[in-house]
Amino acid sequence: MTENMTTPERVVIIGGSSGMGLALAAALVGTGAEVTIAGRSAARLADAERTLPEGPGKVRSVVADITRETDLEQLFTEVGQVDHVVITAADANGAYQPIGSFDAEIGRNFFEAKVIGPALVAKHAQLAPGGSLTFTSGIAAYRPAAGASVVAAANGALASLAYALAVELGPLRVNVVSPGWIDTPIWDTIAGPAKTERHQQMAARLPVGRIGRPDDIARAMLTLMHNPYITGTVLHVDGGHRLT
Ligand SMILES: NC(=O)c1ccc[n+]([C@@H]2O[C@H](COP(=O)([O-])OP(=O)(O)OC[C@H]3O[C@@H](n4cnc5c(N)ncnc54)[C@H](OP(=O)(O)O)[C@@H]3O)[C@@H](O)[C@H]2O)c1
């Protein structure tokens, strides 16, 4: 919660048209927040807005690609000062490859979205006192698996970025959520038709006995946004995946 709760909380979610970002938008609308969801596809944003529940809050969409600095400048000029910015944007297309077939261009694009994009957001976002940035890394950095080395490197780098920004931008806060396997549309890209089988296998391996839901991540993000004493922290929301 920001210090002045007489005005609605203003939150930007880059990646808010799908998966975890969309779940967070839904939760925030229920609390009366003013939410801006951003992503590359206008159609996907419009579809997302239609799926959001009616609530006391308001939602609007802005088309923006996190890898383009001009898009981010425009986005943050349009929304003005906000309380929190959350980033879930990533395009996994081609990013999961054995190192023998590593495609440098795909690797660069993945890093652009996962690491450079959040740095540019930190540069351009106008955060109100008490505000925060929340990034999304992932289990690949902490429980490495074959075929995910570049994804692991980007997620690890994102945590280091957050630690450094927490120092540089304080008293504004900067944190990271590191999800385990969460059932979102990204899995259609990562696993295609093998998704259900792979999820069942992982669920059997995890201490909690199930794959994560987008709402599991949204709840963790709300904690990081609203607890004024958490900064420079990676919150693992992975069902115990790091222990398996
Ligand atoms: N799901 C998992 O199991 C899992 C596990 C570990 C980590 N993660 C991480 O969690 C985050 C959220 O994943 P998710 O599962 O919620 O994915 P998702 O359902 O595919 O949603 C990704 C969102 O990011 C947007 N996006 C992608 N590239 C973008 C760009 N360059 N600029 C702006 N927006 C962009 C997408 O919209 P457009 O395509 O229209 O731009 C979409 O709204 C990602 O960083 C992912 O790497 C996911």
Side-chain angles (χ1 to χ4, degrees):
M1 238 157 290
T2 48
E3 278 158 23
N4 177 5
M5 290 306 289
T6 55
T7 53
E9 190 172 48
R10 299 150 299 176
V11 183
V12 174
I13 307 171
I14 305 178
S17 63
S18 179
M20 305 168 193
L22 183 56
L24 178 63
L28 285 166
V29 168
T31 68
E34 287 178 5
V35 183
T36 302
I37 56 174
R40 293 167 302 177
S41 159
R44 206 172 180 190
L45 286 164
D47 285 348
E49 276 201 56
R50 274 190 289 276
T51 71
L52 285 169
E54 287 291 314
K58 290 189 194 134
V59 183
R60 69 166 158 171
S61 298
V62 176
V63 174
D65 183 334
I66 198 169
T67 67
R68 293 170 187 248
E69 187 165 9
T70 48
D71 284 14
L72 295 174
E73 274 178 294
Q74 225 169 331
L75 166 67
F76 289 111
T77 301
E78 201 171 321
V79 297
Q81 191 181 61
V82 295
D83 299 298
H84 306 284
V85 180
V86 178
I87 302 174
T88 59
D91 186 343
N93 200 4
Y96 289 82
Q97 293 289 339
I99 202 66
S101 40
F102 171 54
D103 178 317
E105 194 54 27
I106 290 174
R108 274 189 209 101
N109 289 341
F110 194 72
F111 260 84
E112 288 278 338
K114 282 290 278 214
V115 183
I116 306 297
L120 291 171
V121 167
K123 176 179 173 185
H124 291 288
Q126 302 165 50
L127 290 171
S132 73
L133 297 173
T134 303
F135 304 151
T136 312
S137 66
I139 184 68
Y142 301 96
R143 180 71 166 87
S149 50
V150 174
V151 176
N155 284 328
L158 183 62
S160 295
L161 176 71
Y163 300 150
L165 287 175
V167 172
E168 183 168 340
L169 299 181
L172 297 171
R173 296 172 301 103
V174 186
N175 291 297
V176 179
V177 170
S178 177
W181 286 24
I182 311 296
D183 190 2
T184 72
I186 210 170
W187 275 95
D188 298 329
T189 307
I190 299 173
K195 165 179 149 169
T196 305
E197 192 188 344
R198 288 189 62 190
H199 280 187
Q200 282 168 350
Q201 285 167 354
M202 179 54 75
R205 203 175 111 185
L206 293 175
V208 297
R210 69 167 174 85
I211 291 297
R213 295 187 280 265
D215 187 53
D216 295 321
I217 303 302
R219 287 162 64 186
M221 287 170 163
L222 289 169
T223 298
L224 294 180
M225 287 160 59
H226 292 153
N227 187 316
Y229 211 60
I230 304 180
T231 194
T233 291
V234 176
L235 179 54
H236 297 276
V237 187
D238 61 12
H241 191 151
R242 281 166 303 133
L243 311 174
T244 65

